[in-house]
Amino acid sequence: MIQVSIERLQMVLDASFSRETSGQPTMWRSDNSSYAHCGSAALVIQHCLGGSIVGAFLPPEWRRKLGIRSHTWNKLPNGQILDATRSQFPPGFPYKDLVDGRLGEMIQADDITEGLLANGPLAERFEILNARVKRTLLSSGLG
């Protein structure tokens, strides 16, 4: 794990997101830079801060609207929920219902890290994003 504040890690992640690290590169836009980064961002956060990764499948109507089928976020060792890509959702999206399990279908696993890493393209995006984050943190004297 890396000793870094949540705020600093979020700032570095936001600056590191790109079309190359998005799960939907053709739909990625710089004004919504966290779009389709939930899996890779959750893996970076877990790598830096520990904890587990949880997720849910979006209901069909939101899958069509957003172009993504699932969402993942972190549960830190102290039980705090951290979602570095919450900003990708538009106003009116029932985010709290999603993370509370009242919208869509929760992914049934205590920690879905292995499943994320087994996805070759996602694992590659994680490696790129993680390297960027580590490089930035190390150059600023953190990590």
Side-chain angles (χ1 to χ4, degrees):
M1 289 193 302
I2 297 174
Q3 295 298 323
V4 61
S5 71
I6 291 171
E7 295 79 16
R8 176 71 176 143
L9 183 56
Q10 180 72 58
M11 202 168 67
V12 171
L13 274 167
D14 289 343
S16 300
F17 293 144
S18 71
R19 182 177 310 281
E20 179 184 24
T21 56
S22 173
Q24 296 285 348
T26 60
M27 296 175 68
W28 183 86
R29 300 183 333 260
S30 60
D31 65 333
N32 187 6
S33 66
S34 67
Y35 178 75
H37 278 88
C38 61
S40 56
L43 287 164
V44 169
I45 290 168
Q46 184 182 51
H47 180 79
C48 292
L49 302 176
S52 59
I53 300 174
V54 293
F57 294 108
L58 276 66
E61 66 272 15
W62 282 104
R63 289 181 195 185
R64 286 189 298 276
K65 288 178 186 178
L66 301 176
I68 53 177
R69 68 181 196 96
S70 62
H71 183 61
T72 56
W73 58 93
N74 297 79
K75 185 173 182 180
L76 300 180
N78 66 3
Q80 178 183 350
I81 297 297
L82 176 59
D83 187 347
T85 63
R86 180 179 183 171
S87 64
Q88 73 180 305
F89 295 108
F93 178 78
Y95 176 81
K96 184 155 177 42
D97 289 342
L98 179 71
V99 298
D100 287 346
R102 294 187 303 270
L103 177 73
E105 178 185 340
M106 295 299 288
I107 297 172
Q108 298 301 312
D110 290 334
D111 183 354
I112 60 174
T113 303
E114 287 183 29
L116 293 174
L117 289 172
N119 176 330
L122 181 112
E124 290 174 22
R125 293 190 308 272
F126 158 65
E127 291 297 335
I128 294 166
L129 187 61
N130 195 47
R132 288 179 186 169
V133 168
K134 284 172 70 173
R135 188 170 41 251
T136 301
L137 291 174
L138 290 172
S139 71
S140 65
L142 299 172

